[in-house]
Amino acid sequence: MSDAPQIDVLQHNRESWNKYVAEGNRWSTPVAVEEVTQARNGNIRILLTPNRPVPKEWLGNLAGSKVLCLASAGGQQAPLLAAAGAEVTSYDNSDAQLKQDEFVAEREGLKIKTIQGDMADLSRLGDAEFDLIVNVVSNVFVPHLKPIWEECARVLKPGGRLIVGFMNPAYYLFDHEEAEQTGEYVVRFRAPYADLTHFSAERIERMRQQREAFEYGHSLDTQIGDQLKAGFVLCDLYEDDWDEQSTPFNKFGNMFVATLSRKISLEE
């Protein structure tokens, strides 16, 4: 276990994502005009995971619906959902990511409300306010999921939908920096995983200095089980792959999972 000093992960990861925006991260690249036009014409295509689009039936009827893009800013999902007719709130830890949503909204004449904050604290949002929550792969950057699912259940209307993308926990069994150097994948870590407890103090300090985001590999018990405990029912899921450039481990299995859950209504 690392003996590294205490780090404000929320602040550090905010700074990391602000840096990633400046570097042109793929999750920070605003959608093209053509994609917005397609969404306006009812042909919306959004991603929770790198490659496989969200099934349209997961989104339901977007016209007039209230949608929360949770830790999903970056100029991609929020503007497309707004173009499809939804009333969108984008809630994200990174001010630079939120500015990407604002950029596309201004460019396309869309209305998106942006709020900067911790995805585990939605206290600025009302009870039963939203019809749909869209959570692109981002809970990998926070230590605890239970409060997130509980807050999602609170702000969703009864029967509302929660769609989530997350990393396959198996990804974090390996030291990927080591694998890139040796060409071999050897199990090094135990799940659940956290950079701050599995890496050396020296490596953590290097990440801090270079503003590399700290990550957490959550178990299926917390990814799905805690959703169910918070008052959701699991309706559907799918897996998705990545690409060889991101990790050679991609050839061994799908690195991402997406789930569709529904908040239990008062009658259930």
Side-chain angles (χ1 to χ4, degrees):
M1 180 176 292
S2 170
D3 58 356
Q6 292 295 312
I7 294 174
D8 183 339
V9 174
L10 185 69
Q11 175 65 28
H12 173 84
N13 282 357
R14 176 186 301 123
E15 294 172 356
S16 297
W17 271 97
N18 287 350
K19 183 191 77 165
Y20 296 159
V21 172
E23 293 173 344
N25 185 279
R26 67 157 293 185
W27 294 104
S28 307
T29 304
V31 292
V33 172
E34 293 77 11
E35 294 175 82
V36 176
T37 301
Q38 288 291 320
R40 282 190 166 118
N41 293 332
N43 234 350
I44 186 170
R45 181 185 184 275
I46 68 169
L47 296 171
L48 292 175
T49 53
N51 298 315
R52 186 172 173 180
V54 174
K56 289 184 179 180
E57 58 269 23
W58 280 29
L59 301 176
N61 182 13
L62 290 171
S65 65
K66 296 194 69 174
V67 177
L68 173 63
C69 285
L70 182 60
S72 301
Q76 300 179 7
Q77 293 77 23
L80 293 176
L81 291 160
E87 182 180 336
V88 180
T89 298
S90 182
Y91 194 106
D92 200 281
N93 182 36
S94 165
D95 47 304
Q97 280 281 82
L98 289 169
K99 285 178 182 176
Q100 299 297 77
D101 282 348
E102 293 167 355
F103 166 78
V104 180
E106 183 176 358
R107 187 190 74 193
E108 302 293 335
L110 300 168
K111 184 178 179 181
I112 299 173
K113 180 180 180 180
T114 58
I115 302 174
Q116 184 177 354
D118 179 1
M119 66 190 295
D121 178 9
L122 305 182
S123 56
R124 283 177 284 177
L125 304 176
D127 294 351
E129 186 174 344
F130 296 96
D131 301 289
L132 172 68
I133 295 176
V134 176
N135 180 217
V136 177
V137 177
S138 58
N139 67 41
V140 66
F141 302 111
V142 295
H144 306 294
L145 301 189
K146 187 172 183 288
I148 296 172
W149 306 142
E150 290 174 345
E151 280 288 82
C152 286
R154 181 183 65 79
V155 303
L156 270 178
K157 299 174 183 177
R161 302 177 181 205
L162 169 66
I163 62 174
V164 178
F166 62 88
M167 291 289 293
N168 186 326
Y171 179 79
Y172 291 100
L173 298 176
F174 307 91
D175 185 332
H176 293 270
E177 185 175 281
E178 176 190 72
E180 288 178 6
Q181 296 170 354
T182 65
E184 297 181 351
Y185 278 89
V186 179
V187 173
R188 294 297 187 200
F189 306 124
R190 176 180 174 82
Y193 167 88
D195 286 345
L196 289 171
T197 56
H198 288 70
F199 288 164
S200 68
E202 292 77 15
R203 186 164 171 181
I204 290 170
E205 178 59 18
R206 170 167 56 91
M207 292 177 68
R208 190 185 69 78
Q209 292 287 345
Q210 296 177 354
R211 288 191 294 165
E212 296 179 34
F214 292 115
E215 297 187 12
Y216 299 83
H218 300 288
S219 67
L220 293 177
D221 189 37
T222 54
Q223 290 284 11
I224 297 176
D226 280 350
Q227 282 193 45
L228 305 182
K229 292 181 180 70
F232 291 95
V233 291
L234 182 65
C235 301
D236 200 1
L237 64 81
Y238 62 85
E239 294 182 321
D240 194 11
D241 59 359
W242 209 348
D243 57 72
E244 294 297 313
Q245 183 178 2
S246 298
T247 172
F249 190 61
N250 187 61
K251 64 176 175 284
F252 297 110
N254 290 325
M255 292 296 97
F256 294 88
V257 181
T259 59
L260 163 65
S261 300
R262 180 172 56 83
K263 179 181 175 180
I264 299 173
S265 65
L266 298 176
E267 293 77 22
E268 294 178 277

